[in-house]
Amino acid sequence: MGRVLTISVQGDLTQIIDALAARGHKIITNHEISKETSVFIMSNVDEDWEQIKSLEWIDFGNNEFILTMNASKLTEREIIEVIDRLASKSDKKMDKVMKIKVSVDESLKELRALLEKHGYEVIPSYKVDHDVSAIVFTGVDEIWETISTCQMREYGDSKYVLTMNASHMSNDEILDTLNRLCSKKS
């Protein structure tokens, strides 16, 4: 399976809770978010959360980004697939066999060097393929205008890819977010 994730899930999502617990994940149903929480899955979206997309990385304070999933916009199967993919990212066998691939805008030379120094495989932004775990861009155009910092987004051959706007994040924030997603130590 990979690593065990701490996942906060709203209590009414019993089938999802059962499926994730059967996979060995630690499930919290009291809406608490802690440093160990990797994913927050919600179902009852109120006016405070009405703008949330199906998958979005949200900063819950101190630049602690947590993947937040809106179960009202995703099927149970889609949720499980995303969790399985996240859990597999830290599988020791996988880390030894291949580096984690990140597509980075060519103009971000310092960030590219920092990520390579920390063991990431950095590829140019025009070469995104199905093995890419994250895309880091700078600037805003009509395609990326809704991304202020980072969010999970459907892109090309990849079902969901972490997409980060370097215009609104420091290099260290980007590295910390990638390390957290991929369970790497700084």
Side-chain angles (χ1 to χ4, degrees), residues 61-115:
N62 298 325
N63 290 317
E64 293 291 328
F65 288 90
I66 296 174
L67 178 60
T68 305
M69 304 174 83
N70 183 346
S72 66
K73 294 183 178 181
L74 295 165
T75 67
E76 178 183 338
R77 194 183 106 240
E78 289 171 325
I79 291 170
I80 300 302
E81 284 176 3
V82 171
I83 298 297
D84 286 348
R85 186 169 179 206
L86 284 174
S88 73
K89 292 294 182 186
S90 70
D91 184 15
K92 298 295 180 202
K93 276 171 57 176
M94 188 178 109
D95 283 348
K96 289 180 184 174
V97 173
M98 61 186 278
K99 290 183 177 183
I100 296 162
K101 194 182 286 189
V102 181
S103 172
V104 179
D105 189 294
E106 292 79 15
S107 67
L108 300 170
K109 290 177 177 39
E110 288 179 22
L111 176 62
R112 293 171 67 82
L114 178 67
L115 295 178

Side-chain angles (χ1 to χ4, degrees), residues 4 15 17 24 26 29 44 61 71 77 82 96 99 107 117 119 134 149-150 153 165 181 185-186:
V4 173
Q15 289 182 321
I17 291 169
K26 180 180 176 190
T29 58
N44 299 323
R77 194 183 106 240
V82 171
K96 289 180 184 174
K99 290 183 177 183
S107 67
K117 176 183 168 192
T149 53
C150 60
R153 185 177 178 120
N165 187 343
L181 172 68
K185 302 290 183 208
S186 297

Side-chain angles (χ1 to χ4, degrees), residues 90-152:
S90 70
D91 184 15
K92 298 295 180 202
K93 276 171 57 176
M94 188 178 109
D95 283 348
K96 289 180 184 174
V97 173
M98 61 186 278
K99 290 183 177 183
I100 296 162
K101 194 182 286 189
V102 181
S103 172
V104 179
D105 189 294
E106 292 79 15
S107 67
L108 300 170
K109 290 177 177 39
E110 288 179 22
L111 176 62
R112 293 171 67 82
L114 178 67
L115 295 178
E116 287 172 348
K117 176 183 168 192
H118 285 273
Y120 291 94
E121 178 181 351
V122 178
I123 64 168
S125 58
Y126 60 85
K127 288 189 173 183
V128 175
D129 61 33
H130 68 280
D131 292 327
V132 168
S133 296
I135 299 170
V136 183
F137 67 95
T138 186
V140 177
D141 61 23
E142 62 278 354
I143 296 170
W144 303 105
E145 67 187 353
T146 61
I147 302 172
S148 61
T149 53
C150 60
Q151 72 181 47
M152 292 296 272

